Amino acid sequence: MRVMLNMWGKDHEITFQNRRYTNGNFAVQALAAEDGGWVPWCMVTVNLGDKLPENQAYLDTNGCSKEIIEWLYENGYVTDLGISRSGFCNYPLVKFSKEFIDSLDL
């Protein structure tokens, strides 16, 4: 899935990749189009250590572009399941939709 998002006053083409953390938890990484290729933009998810059910993850509201997080909610790609606090940040626990997961680059 490729999307155009306006971040910091400029349009950026973004795609998403399916990843795994070392404990097996589901992870999503955002990549941005740059110079004819794809470069890492940010991790959309964060691993807080606890083992989660498949297709669930914590959104990285601290390190990921807020526009990406908002876009996921606006398009119904995530469903809230709760909040976890780590340090000074609150991270929403979400379940990713099948539609979003099926669209990920592997």
Side-chain angles (χ1 to χ4, degrees):
M1 172 184 304
R2 295 178 179 181
V3 297
M4 292 297 289
L5 294 174
N6 188 288
M7 295 177 274
W8 305 291
K10 183 178 176 188
D11 288 336
H12 297 273
E13 185 177 12
I14 303 291
T15 191
F16 302 92
Q17 284 188 323
N18 185 351
R19 296 282 191 227
R20 291 278 168 194
Y21 291 108
T22 56
N23 67 350
N25 279 344
F26 176 70
V28 177
Q29 182 176 29
L31 303 161
E34 187 175 298
D35 298 327
W38 294 98
V39 296
W41 182 270
C42 68
M43 287 301 295
V44 176
T45 58
V46 63
N47 191 19
L48 299 183
D50 49 331
K51 184 68 176 139
L52 297 173
E54 193 62 28
N55 303 331
Q56 291 184 20
Y58 294 101
L59 292 177
D60 189 354
T61 53
N62 186 46
C64 184
S65 304
K66 70 177 175 68
E67 293 85 357
I68 292 174
I69 303 294
E70 290 170 357
W71 178 84
L72 288 168
Y73 279 105
E74 288 168 2
N75 288 281
Y77 292 134
V78 293
T79 303
D80 276 318
L81 300 174
I83 296 277
S84 188
R85 185 165 180 81
S86 180
F88 295 105
C89 299
N90 290 323
Y91 298 100
L93 174 62
V94 298
K95 181 172 184 174
F96 284 86
S97 71
K98 181 176 179 354
E99 178 185 2
F100 181 79
I101 291 169
D102 289 347
S103 75
L104 294 174
D105 291 331
L106 300 177

